[in-house]
Amino acid sequence: MLPNARLGPSSATFLEAIFTATSAVCVTGLAVVDTATYWTPFGQVVILVLIQVGGLGIMTFASVIGLAVVRKLSLRSRINAAAEVRSVGLEDVKGLVRGVVGISLIVEAVVGVMLTLRFFTGYGEPFGRAVWLGVFHAVSSFNNAGFALFSDNIMSYATDPWIGLPICGAVILGGLGFPVIVQLRKHLRSPLKWTMNTRIVVVGTITLLVLGSVFITAVEWNNPNTLGPMDWPSKILAGFFQSVQTRTAGFNSVDIGQMDSASLLGMDVLMIIGGGPAGTAGGIKITTFAVLFFILWTEVRGEVAVNVFGKRLSRAVHREAISIVLLAVAVVIAATASLMLMTDISMDELMFEAVSAFATVGLSTGITAGLPPAGQAILIFLMFIGRLGPITFASALALRDRRSTYEYPKERPIIG
């Protein structure tokens, strides 16, 4: 809200500032103002810092500061950092935190250099401006934020693979999750050493990327407002790019508001699934969706134990996955219904906006800025819950863990 953060004679309003700050630190990318023309370079730097902190995670970032200042981590810091990066033990949290930060900086640096060279040599941007564009979009893409420094997001570069593919690569890597990236770095050529989590995330990511690309490209192939005017290589690139962005990144190379309703519905599904756990992606996570799929597959086959890649799933994982999905569905439906009561906008657009906020994606049909203040407050709430996770939020509301010292007799209702 500082005057020098906004271009113009006055400061940003509280709602504009809190919406932008929440969207940045929750690495979502939804915006009520144009990032390129509303904020000064100082304001854009604030957004960039919030994206980086939000992508690394508050506890991970705090641990980095602790390591830099006192050269060691307290037990509480180790526990918090281990919980945030989904470490199973406290033996080498310090090394894991350093690994997370190192991976982030390396990927951002490589993508930043690629984008800088393209903006500088391909589009004649002054070198300083090219560096700023390269760094900002590299950080925004790896952290799955979706903030861009162009008024049309990435639409002007929809047919340029030298812009689109580096951004997609950073988004995919960020969406895998830090535990998966760390393991792939150590055992990339030894899949037998991969954990169940890594296998599910890798297989699920490839499957969803392929299915999403084929679906979006096929539905939008002849749409005159999206892929229609492009040649076929550009259509494939744009379809792939948009499929990648539904993994919770939020960049768009076509006008989302002009896409077919079927595309929006398919993207709703992809957004709610999201990416890998303990990374920069949102959604219910690929692992949660995979657990539900394997539970269904086991039930259909009439088996008792749920087996995945030669390992048996714990029943506690069943309950957690079902709880996360039901809470997510309840939150999105409640938010969509509330938005419908406030506006005359169609349900598919409002649901798309709600799912995008909850899954911390940032894709929009263009209605965010036109929502009433109460509607924008709902989106802020959704972004906050989506970044924390529905289970974490529900646990915080419950305040304490209640344990029963007795059990009721069993009885089975009729199902189906």
Side-chain angles (χ1 to χ4, degrees), residues 172 202-218 236 239-240 243-244 246-247 270:
I172 293 170
V202 171
V203 173
T205 296
I206 295 173
T207 302
L208 292 174
L209 284 176
V210 171
L211 292 178
S213 299
V214 171
F215 176 79
I216 293 173
T217 304
I236 293 175
F240 171 73
S243 175
V244 171
T246 59
R247 309 303 315 290
L270 292 172

Side-chain angles (χ1 to χ4, degrees), residues 320 323-324 327 388-402:
E320 186 175 356
S323 299
I324 288 174
L327 284 171
L388 285 180
I391 288 293
T392 303
F393 187 76
S395 301
L397 293 181
L399 296 180
R400 64 188 180 90
D401 186 17
R402 296 181 174 89

